[in-house]
Structure formats: C-alpha cells, structure tokens
Amino acid sequence: MTGSEATPSFRLAYVPGVTPTKWVRIWNERLPDIPLTLVAVTDAEAFDVLRGGDADAGFVRLPVDRTDLSAIPLYTETTVVVVPKDHVVAAVEEVSAEDLADEIVLHPLDDTLDWERPPGQPALERPATTADAVELVAAGIGLLVVPQSLARLHHRKDLTYRPLTGTPESRVALSWPEDRTTDLVEDFIGIVRGRTVNSSRGRAQTPAKAEPKAKRPDASAARRKPAAGKPAGKNQRTGSGSGGSKGGSKGGAKRGKPRGRS
C-alpha cells in the first residue's frame, strides 16, 4: 500500500497538565472516519516531536519558536503553590510571592514557568522532575510553585495548593509545523477555535449545492401581454352586455324585423 492510499489519521501531542478530551470528542463527532491518536510528551521534547513529524499538531506551553512553528495561544493557567495540608499557607485562600520569602521553594529541572528568580529560598539541589518535587513537598522538605493543571495532575491526599500572585504564568497554545499546515490541521484548528460544522472554513461536511433561483417575470412584459381569456383591445366590447356584437350569448334579446306601415 502506497502512502497516498494509506488511511488518513491525525496525531495530537500534548504536554503534562493539558486535558485534550473536549477537542478529541468533537473531532470524533465530526470526523469519525479519521482516527485521532494522542501522543503524550514532556515539555522539553514537545517541539522536537512536532518538527520530527511524530505528531501533526500539539498542545504546548509558550514560548514557541516561530521560525518554523505556528502557534495559537489558547489560555493562561493560574499559578499555585503546592503545600502540605497542615502548612500555614493552607489556612488562607491566596498568597503572594513575598509570603514565601522564608520558605524553601523547590525548582525542578522541568519547570514550566519562566522565572527571573523563583520566590523563597532555593533548595540545595534541584529535583529532576515535577513529580520528584511533589514527593519532596509531601516529605516536608519544601514547597513547589507550578501551573494549576500540574498541581491537579500530581494531586495527593496529603497535599493541597493555593493561588499564588506576583509570579509568572504558564500559557498553553496549539502549535504545528508551519510548512505542514494540512487540511486535517486546519480541521483541528477550527475545532479548537470553536468553529461550527457549517463554518466557512470547516471541511467536515460538503455543503449542498444551492438550488437555482427562479427568474422573476418581467413586470413590463406582464403588463404588455394580455391575460388569457381577456380581450387585447382596450375598447373592444364583449358579447354579453346590451349593444353587444353580433353572435352574443343565447340569453341576449333578439332583434325583430321592422313592422310595416298599415
């Protein structure tokens, strides 16, 4: 089987914390004959996966190198601090970066926030991954600042999190190789942007051809052409009234011969 004869499919990469369920469901409803395969990737490898052709598009975190990749920013995540449930931070609804000044704040190597300087006091070593950092927080070694989606992904019963102000925020985008903006990529862009099936750029359904409109009758011609069963002349008389032409209706009065003089 040649490449042109292969069954079309769509491969969608996504980084940790992103939940593509809603968009996948819409894809399956609109394009049931084209399977969509999810490709889980780390933030570090996401762009190499797209450039290498192992995925057609992907949900990634900004920034994106626009030299060869296109991107559509989708939403901004809330930044939170992950703490043990018995930590003092758990007693408030929101904290600021300044409130963590005396706390040890873990900074994993796979951190997704663009820090100039992380808040709090640095740990002796940086954890290799966010998952490792969560384990250290549970052990009481420090706190962790991450996008809220990652706090949910690594949820533990003995940990909680609170919104954190005064820190960078993570932005999620849909990205794909610019030179491979295929029809299927356009279809997925339409789904992510909320276009309907009948959108002008949608391709899921071919719109039916419009029926040709009936031509309107020429009004002037209609005025010129007499209606069927009516006389063409304006002053022509009918045979039904008095003084009608010869050969009127049977019910009309007959003319008699003049009587001679006596």
Side-chain angles (χ1 to χ4, degrees):
M1 180 178 290
T2 63
S4 59
E5 296 173 343
T7 302
S9 63
F10 189 76
R11 295 161 299 173
L12 178 66
Y14 66 102
V15 297
V18 174
T19 306
T21 307
K22 176 182 69 174
W23 297 297
V24 173
R25 175 180 53 79
I26 297 174
W27 176 279
N28 291 333
E29 291 173 354
R30 295 187 185 179
L31 301 164
D33 297 330
I34 302 178
L36 186 152
T37 303
L38 291 175
V39 182
V41 296
T42 66
D43 288 277
E45 65 189 8
F47 300 116
D48 289 337
V49 167
L50 293 176
R51 291 188 176 101
D54 295 320
D56 300 291
F59 290 112
V60 301
R61 288 189 171 87
L62 296 174
V64 170
D65 184 357
R66 300 299 183 99
T67 303
D68 57 344
L69 296 174
S70 297
I72 301 173
L74 300 178
Y75 58 89
T76 300
E77 297 184 280
T78 300
T79 302
V80 301
V81 55
V82 180
V83 301
K85 279 192 172 181
D86 59 356
H87 195 279
V88 63
V89 168
V92 298
E93 293 184 357
E94 183 181 87
V95 292
S96 66
E98 291 76 13
D99 295 330
L100 305 181
D102 298 328
E103 301 283 351
I104 293 178
V105 178
L106 303 167
H107 189 203
L109 294 176
D110 64 353
D111 179 64
T112 59
L113 299 172
D114 187 16
W115 297 104
E116 288 186 6
R117 182 185 181 280
Q121 303 298 319
L124 294 178
E125 294 183 4
R126 294 183 64 182
T129 66
T130 298
D132 293 336
V134 170
E135 293 293 333
L136 294 175
V137 174
I141 295 177
L143 309 183
L144 175 64
V145 178
V146 291
Q148 183 171 310
S149 65
L150 291 181
R152 290 174 174 171
L153 178 64
H154 297 286
H155 172 70
R156 289 174 53 119
K157 291 182 179 180
D158 53 348
L159 300 179
T160 188
Y161 58 85
R162 293 292 182 268
L164 183 66
T165 62
T167 58
E169 295 175 318
S170 171
R171 300 176 65 200
V172 174
L174 176 68
S175 183
W176 67 95
E178 186 174 0
D179 61 352
R180 294 201 298 274
T181 308
T182 63
D183 288 339
L184 293 180
V185 170
E186 287 285 2
D187 285 330
F188 195 76
I189 292 172
I191 290 173
V192 170
R193 283 184 161 170
R195 297 188 193 126
T196 63
V197 176
N198 297 323
S199 170
S200 59
R201 296 189 66 179
R203 299 189 320 104
Q205 294 182 359
T206 303
K209 292 183 178 181
E211 293 292 336
K213 294 182 178 179
K215 293 183 178 181
R216 292 184 177 180
D218 188 340
S220 59
R223 288 194 296 268
R224 293 193 300 270
K225 184 178 179 180
K230 291 186 178 181
K234 184 176 181 181
N235 297 323
Q236 186 172 348
R237 296 177 180 176
T238 66
S240 59
S242 61
S245 61
K246 184 178 180 181
S249 63
K250 293 181 180 181
K254 293 182 180 180
R255 289 185 180 181
K257 292 182 179 182
R259 295 175 67 183
R261 293 181 179 178
S262 56

